[in-house]
Structures are given as C-alpha cells and as structure tokens.
Amino acid sequence: MRRDVANGWFFGVCAGIARTYGLNVHLVRLAFVASCLLPGPQILLYLILWMIMPAD
C-alpha cells in the first residue's frame, strides 16, 4: 500500500487506499469524511497512515 500523491488531495492516503483495493477514490474520501462525523480516532488514524505509508 502506497500513498498516491499525484492523485491525492491531502497527502494521498485515501487515494492510495482506493488504488490498492480497486475502489473509487471519491467513495473512499466520502466514507472517510462521513466517518469523521462519528466519535473516534479517525483523524489520528489518517495522520498515522500518512506517516507510515510510503509515497509513490
């Protein structure tokens, strides 16, 4: 799994996840934004993924 910085908006984490699993990048971004409305560590998880996922 790699960050897709060429097609990513904020660090390319969602774009990299979408490319790895063959999903639509817009749906992955929408799911992430929707999950941020729920309580939990979504932002922290995104930042951790940004730090540990290598860039393309």
Side-chain angles (χ1 to χ4, degrees):
M1 187 178 325
R2 296 183 156 289
R3 289 185 292 125
D4 189 359
V5 286
N7 297 320
W9 285 358
F10 297 104
F11 310 117
V13 174
C14 288
I17 291 171
R19 187 180 59 188
T20 300
Y21 294 108
L23 303 171
N24 185 340
V25 68
H26 299 295
L27 293 178
V28 174
R29 288 177 184 143
L30 182 65
F32 173 72
V33 170
S35 75
C36 286
L37 299 174
L38 301 171
Q42 292 86 344
I43 302 292
L44 182 62
L45 179 62
Y46 190 89
L47 293 174
I48 290 170
L49 286 173
W50 169 58
M51 287 188 272
I52 64 172
M53 286 175 67
D56 252 356

